[in-house]
């Protein structure tokens, strides 16, 4: 499978659907033109040092290579955002999660396209008080 290289391609995929898994998040979007699917990899510094990040990328590339080409949706781009669990998860489970996550990321009913709004820092959730009885 070909890889995404440019930042603009990664940003375009980020506007599509997303599905979370234990070891990664899969983002996906359909391409307007016909062609083979492409994949990009993102491993942030939050996941570990450079050695750990490189190992995670190698495992994810191997998992994508292990996928059956017929099981990968065509005319789509995917970005795999890695988590720390990608190192410790069994490889077979990693491949299964990747296979199911790719198809779900393109399904608008199965994935959340937008993130939930976050509360402001310092704001508290206050319980609603019962209304006073009017007489």
């Amino acid at each position: 499978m070909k890889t995404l290289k440019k930042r603009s391609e990664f940003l375009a995929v980020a506007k599509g659907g997303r599905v979370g898994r234990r070891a990664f998040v899969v983002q996906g979007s359909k391409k307007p033109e016909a062609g083979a699917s492409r994949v990009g990899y993102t491993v942030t510094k939050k996941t570990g040092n450079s050695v750990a990040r490189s190992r995670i990328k190698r495992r994810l590339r191997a998992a994508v290579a292990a996928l059956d080409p017929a099981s990968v949706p065509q005319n789509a781009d995917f970005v795999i955002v890695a988590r720390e669990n990608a190192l410790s998860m069994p490889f077979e489970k990693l491949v299964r999660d990747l296979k199911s996550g790719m198809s779900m990321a393109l399904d608008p009913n199965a994935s959340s396209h937008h993130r939930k709004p976050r509360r402001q820092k310092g704001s508290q959730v206050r319980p609603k008080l019962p209304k006073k009885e009017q007489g």
Side-chain angles (χ1 to χ4, degrees):
M1 211 191 267
K2 291 188 176 186
T3 58
L4 300 174
K5 302 278 187 200
K6 297 180 183 175
R7 183 174 190 270
S8 59
E9 296 169 340
F10 281 81
L11 293 176
V13 174
K15 292 179 183 175
R18 77 182 63 229
V19 174
R21 293 287 183 245
R22 184 176 294 246
F24 50 82
V25 174
V26 178
Q27 299 174 337
S29 71
K30 292 270 188 189
K31 291 192 300 186
E33 69 275 352
S37 293
R38 300 180 301 172
V39 66
Y41 305 94
T42 301
V43 185
T44 64
K45 287 187 176 181
K46 185 167 56 171
T47 57
N49 61 15
S50 63
V51 175
R53 292 194 307 267
S54 294
R55 287 182 63 207
I56 290 171
K57 277 189 271 190
R58 283 194 301 271
R59 272 186 71 112
L60 291 175
R61 281 191 208 116
V64 168
L67 288 174
D68 181 27
S71 67
V72 177
Q74 294 298 308
N75 304 328
D77 288 338
F78 298 99
V79 172
I80 302 169
V81 182
R83 294 181 177 161
E84 283 183 60
N85 290 337
L87 279 178
S88 59
M89 181 178 276
F91 188 74
E92 294 78 25
K93 181 152 176 46
L94 195 69
V95 173
R96 269 187 279 135
D97 282 355
L98 190 58
K99 182 179 176 180
S100 67
M102 284 182 150
S103 57
M104 287 179 69
L106 298 178
D107 184 12
N109 298 326
S111 63
S112 58
H113 287 277
H114 301 287
R115 294 182 181 147
K116 293 180 183 177
R118 293 174 59 172
R119 287 188 296 139
Q120 297 261 337
K121 221 177 197 181
S123 67
Q124 296 177 352
V125 177
R126 296 185 180 151
K128 290 188 178 183
L129 299 175
K131 291 184 180 179
K132 293 182 180 179
E133 292 182 24
Q134 296 179 1

